[in-house]
């Protein structure tokens, strides 16, 4: 243990700092309580003072650039070995190496002579200096390799990696193990990937498929997967071009097929839970190993579809059913004068029943239609494109058959006008939604202010419409001053029975009151 370790200082500490540190430590180490510790502290203090007052004279700048520089440093070390000051000289050279005052030749000589960062270096060296030297040397090895990958320069990385043996300390334990683990993490987690870099590193580090290879097991699986990435992507693109017969094929088509965002959204509306699981697994693989492919997707992320799996895609049917039922009861009603609001109330009740029945039937029909997805896709190619209001052709089994059944049921209950209303509302909603689905974020997220204003206007319009219809109904209803009530209740309830105007028979003015003069 050196005087610097005892004092907790570095060799570049001045006399004032040494004295101040000694005074502070002296309060904790009393001669009466710990005579040996006090003597050790006193010796360290005196040695540090001698070192600070008579440091080894550094070589001049001119000598640092001459070929005789190594010989001079070696001669000084030989003299120090003879007079017993070799440790002091080594600490001085170590300090200069940490400060960056040594040339590359001097540093090489010092590492080879003093065995720094190896198991044979002096134990008396200051621990702080050794730790600083280790961090500096590791950073000098890491930075060029990291920078080459950041710049996606394959040749620069290979050149720096081939010159790694110039850092001769790195071949010693435990630095070789550290470098091996760090290199595996760098290649497995960096966004850039090069097959040539991976093969060169495998050859240099002894990574192979055997049981005794040097690559950490956790990173080796990732590296192999990234090396096989081009084959994986080619396979997934081939799946995307095939008919969507399996969840894996449908997931590949959603993520990798050349479709617009609106087409992807329309295609995702036909997914079931197994399709979304396959999509999640494929997205995770692309996100981990194929950053460029993920950045080229909508929104710059492979998870652009998040939210679609839980989105309610049946709301157009609900809106169309409600409007069709309301229109149907209005058209079918025998008398609307004074009964518009009650009639609409009946339509709401009918619409609730229709939505519930259609939802139950859809839950039973959807798995059946999903089994014949491929045949349904082929049949849809034969349909005219103009009948589809969305970005993708309608599927006969999945879309047209349920729609036809609902339209026939509405026509049977309310008449053909309700069926036409259903078709018209669905087509109108599809026509409105079509341009909105081409954006990655919803319209409400892109225009939050207008979304709030639109919601408020819809509420105000609904309340206003209800109030207006209610007032219209009241104009056709009989009030307490109307109808065939007894004339005495209308005009004579608070008058004497012998009043002339209250005697029977009642006149028209007495019977109808003020309404008779209108």
């Amino acid at each position: 243990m050196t005087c610097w370790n005892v004092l907790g200082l570095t060799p570049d500490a001045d006399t004032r700092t040494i004295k101040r540190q000694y005074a502070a430590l002296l309060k904790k180490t009393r001669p009466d309580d710990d005579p040996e510790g006090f003597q050790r502290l006193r010796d360290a203090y005196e040695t540090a003072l001698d070192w600070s007052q008579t440091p080894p004279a550094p070589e001049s700048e001119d000598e640092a650039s001459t070929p005789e520089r190594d010989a001079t440093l070696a001669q000084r070390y030989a003299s120090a070995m003879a007079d017993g000051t070799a440790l002091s000289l080594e600490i001085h050279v170590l300090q200069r190496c940490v400060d960056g005052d040594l040339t590359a030749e001097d540093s090489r000589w010092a590492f080879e002579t003093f065995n720094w960062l190896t198991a044979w270096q002096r134990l008396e060296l200051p621990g702080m200096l050794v730790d600083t030297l280790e961090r500096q040397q590791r950073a000098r090895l890491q930075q060029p390799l990291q920078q080459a990958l950041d710049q996606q320069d394959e040749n620069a990385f290979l050149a720096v990696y081939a010159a790694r043996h110039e850092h001769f300390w790195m071949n010693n334990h435990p630095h070789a193990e550290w470098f091996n683990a760090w290199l595996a993490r760098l290649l497995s987690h960096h966004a850039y990937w090069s097959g040539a870099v991976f093969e060169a590193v495998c050859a240099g580090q002894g990574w192979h498929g055997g049981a005794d290879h040097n690559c950490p097991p956790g990173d080796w699986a990732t590296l192999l997967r990234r090396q096989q990435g081009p084959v994986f992507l080619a396979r997934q693109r081939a799946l995307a071009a095939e008919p969507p017969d399996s969840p894996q094929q449908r997931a590949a088509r959603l993520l990798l097929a050349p479709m617009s965002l609106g087409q992807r959204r329309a295609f995702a509306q036909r997914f079931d839970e197994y399709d979304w699981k396959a999509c999640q697994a494929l997205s995770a693989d692309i996100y981990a190993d194929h950053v460029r492919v993920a950045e080229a997707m909508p929104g710059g992320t492979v998870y652009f579809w998040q939210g679609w799996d839980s989105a309610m895609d049946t709301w157009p049917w609900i809106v169309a059913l409600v409007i069709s039922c309301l229109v149907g009861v209005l058209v079918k009603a025998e008398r609307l004068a004074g009964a518009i609001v009650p009639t609409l109330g009946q339509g709401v009740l009918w619409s609730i029943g229709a939505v519930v029945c259609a939802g139950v039937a859809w839950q039973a029909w959807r798995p059946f239609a999903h089994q014949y997805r491929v045949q349904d896709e082929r049949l849809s190619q034969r349909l005219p494109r103009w009948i589809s209001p969305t970005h993708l052709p309608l599927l006969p089994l999945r879309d047209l058959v349920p729609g036809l059944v609902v339209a026939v049921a509405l026509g049977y209950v309310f008449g053909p006008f309700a069926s036409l209303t259903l078709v018209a509302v669905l087509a109108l909603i599809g026509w409105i939604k079509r341009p909105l689905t081409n954006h990655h974020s919803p319209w409400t997220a892109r225009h939050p202010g207008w979304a709030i204003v639109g919601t408020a206007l819809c509420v105000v319009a609904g309340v206003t419409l209800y109030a207006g219809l209610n007032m219209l109904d009241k104009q056709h209803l009989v009030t307490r001053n109307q109808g065939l009530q007894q004339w005495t209740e209308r005009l004579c309830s608070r008058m004497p029975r012998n009043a002339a105007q209250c005697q029977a028979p009642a006149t028209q003015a007495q019977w109808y009151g003020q309404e008779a003069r209108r």
Side-chain angles (χ1 to χ4, degrees):
M1 180 177 294
T2 65
C3 61
W4 309 112
N5 291 333
V6 175
L7 295 174
L9 299 174
T10 57
D12 58 345
D14 56 11
T15 303
R16 183 179 181 182
T17 303
I18 295 173
K19 291 181 179 180
R20 185 177 299 176
Q21 181 69 5
Y22 172 70
L25 295 177
L26 193 60
K27 297 179 181 180
K28 303 177 182 179
T29 308
R30 308 297 299 177
D32 298 337
D33 299 334
D34 187 7
E36 295 182 1
F38 172 76
Q39 186 62 39
R40 189 184 311 110
L41 178 62
R42 183 66 185 179
D43 294 341
Y45 170 67
E46 294 177 354
T47 304
L49 283 180
D50 293 340
W51 170 269
S52 64
Q53 294 172 0
T54 57
E59 292 79 1
S60 64
E61 294 296 330
D62 295 337
E63 291 178 343
S65 59
T66 60
E68 292 78 9
R69 177 83 169 93
D70 291 339
T72 303
L73 193 57
Q75 292 176 359
R76 287 175 56 84
Y77 179 63
S79 300
M81 290 284 290
D83 59 19
T85 60
L87 177 60
S88 299
L89 178 63
E90 182 176 350
I91 294 176
H92 174 70
V93 176
L94 176 60
Q95 180 67 55
R96 295 194 61 189
C97 183
V98 170
D99 295 339
D101 295 337
L102 296 183
T103 63
E105 293 77 7
D106 289 340
S107 297
R108 175 181 292 275
W109 178 89
F111 271 93
E112 293 178 350
T113 303
F114 299 127
N115 295 314
W116 288 340
L117 303 182
T118 68
W120 298 275
Q121 72 177 7
R122 287 180 183 267
L123 299 178
E124 297 84 2
L125 295 177
M128 296 176 59
L129 287 179
V130 174
D131 293 340
T132 303
L133 179 65
E134 182 177 355
R135 288 194 299 269
Q136 289 180 350
Q137 294 300 318
R138 288 187 176 184
R140 291 173 184 173
L141 178 62
Q142 290 173 309
Q143 290 175 357
L145 295 173
Q146 179 77 45
Q147 185 177 4
L149 287 186
D150 293 341
Q151 297 176 353
Q152 300 182 4
D153 192 340
E154 177 182 293
N155 295 328
F157 184 94
L158 295 177
V160 174
Y161 179 72
R164 69 190 182 281
H165 296 294
E166 296 179 1
H167 303 269
F168 37 85
W169 57 268
M170 189 265 298
N171 297 323
N172 301 309
H173 178 81
H175 308 296
E177 289 76 5
W178 162 82
F179 179 69
N180 189 72
W182 176 82
L183 195 59
R185 290 194 304 271
L186 176 67
L187 296 182
S188 60
H189 294 95
H190 201 277
Y192 174 69
W193 178 262
S194 170
V197 167
F198 175 69
E199 293 177 358
V201 173
C202 285
Q205 299 298 123
W207 297 349
H208 51 77
D212 57 344
H213 66 87
N214 298 325
C215 185
D219 295 321
W220 180 245
T222 303
L223 293 172
L224 286 181
R225 189 171 64 251
R226 297 196 69 178
Q227 180 67 2
Q228 298 169 357
V231 178
F232 172 80
L233 274 182
R235 174 56 181 163
Q236 295 301 319
R237 295 186 188 281
L239 288 177
E242 296 177 0
D245 192 17
S246 66
Q248 289 73 24
Q249 291 170 329
R250 288 187 283 272
R253 172 174 291 194
L254 176 66
L255 298 179
L256 299 175
M259 295 190 295
S260 65
L261 182 62
Q263 290 174 331
R264 296 175 194 265
R265 192 188 299 269
F267 183 71
Q269 291 179 354
R270 302 167 180 177
F271 274 23
D272 61 4
E273 57 177 334
Y274 300 103
D275 296 334
W276 287 120
K277 289 181 180 179
C279 186
Q280 178 69 36
L282 181 57
S283 299
D285 292 337
I286 295 177
Y287 177 80
D289 303 328
H290 307 281
V291 179
R292 290 185 178 180
V293 177
E295 291 176 349
M297 292 185 178
T301 174
V302 71
Y303 293 104
F304 64 89
W305 50 267
Q306 280 190 340
W308 297 359
D309 52 344
S310 58
M312 183 179 178
D313 58 350
T314 57
W315 69 267
W317 278 96
I318 296 177
V319 174
L321 281 173
V322 172
I323 295 177
S324 300
C325 290
L326 294 178
V327 172
V329 296
L330 290 175
V331 174
K332 195 175 181 180
E334 296 181 359
R335 177 179 175 276
L336 287 177
I340 297 179
V341 173
T343 303
L344 291 177
Q346 295 178 6
V348 171
L349 294 177
W350 274 101
S351 65
I352 293 176
V355 169
V356 172
C357 294
V360 173
W362 173 246
Q363 294 300 323
W365 178 258
R366 185 176 182 177
F368 173 79
H370 201 77
Q371 292 180 359
Y372 299 94
R373 177 69 177 270
V374 178
Q375 294 81 355
D376 216 8
E377 290 275 356
R378 295 173 182 173
L379 291 175
S380 66
Q381 301 299 327
R382 302 181 182 180
L383 297 177
R385 191 69 177 85
W386 59 268
I387 70 172
S388 177
T390 61
H391 288 269
L392 293 178
L394 293 176
L395 300 180
L397 292 178
R398 185 187 181 277
D399 302 324
L400 295 183
V401 171
L404 181 61
V405 172
V406 174
V408 171
L410 288 176
Y412 176 78
V413 176
F414 301 109
F417 200 78
S419 301
L420 294 177
T421 302
L422 177 70
V423 176
V425 172
L426 288 175
L428 179 62
I429 293 176
W431 179 76
I432 294 175
K433 284 179 57 180
R434 186 166 186 171
L436 300 178
T437 56
N438 288 324
H439 298 276
H440 180 259
S441 58
W443 184 86
T444 54
R446 289 182 283 111
H447 307 282
W450 284 105
I452 297 175
V453 173
T455 304
L457 291 178
C458 290
V459 173
V460 172
V463 173
T464 304
L465 179 62
Y466 174 79
L469 293 177
N470 199 24
M471 293 179 59
L472 181 63
D473 282 346
K474 288 182 178 180
Q475 293 182 0
H476 297 277
L477 295 178
V478 177
T479 64
R480 62 176 299 188
N481 294 323
Q482 293 176 303
L484 300 178
Q485 298 93 348
Q486 295 182 4
W487 66 277
T488 53
E489 293 181 3
R490 296 172 55 77
L491 300 176
C492 304
S493 59
R494 296 185 178 182
M495 298 179 66
R497 288 182 178 274
N498 57 1
Q501 61 270 32
C502 295
Q503 300 298 314
T507 62
Q508 182 179 5
Q510 292 173 332
W511 188 267
Y512 289 101
Q514 295 180 356
E515 288 82 356
R517 294 192 293 271
R518 291 182 180 179

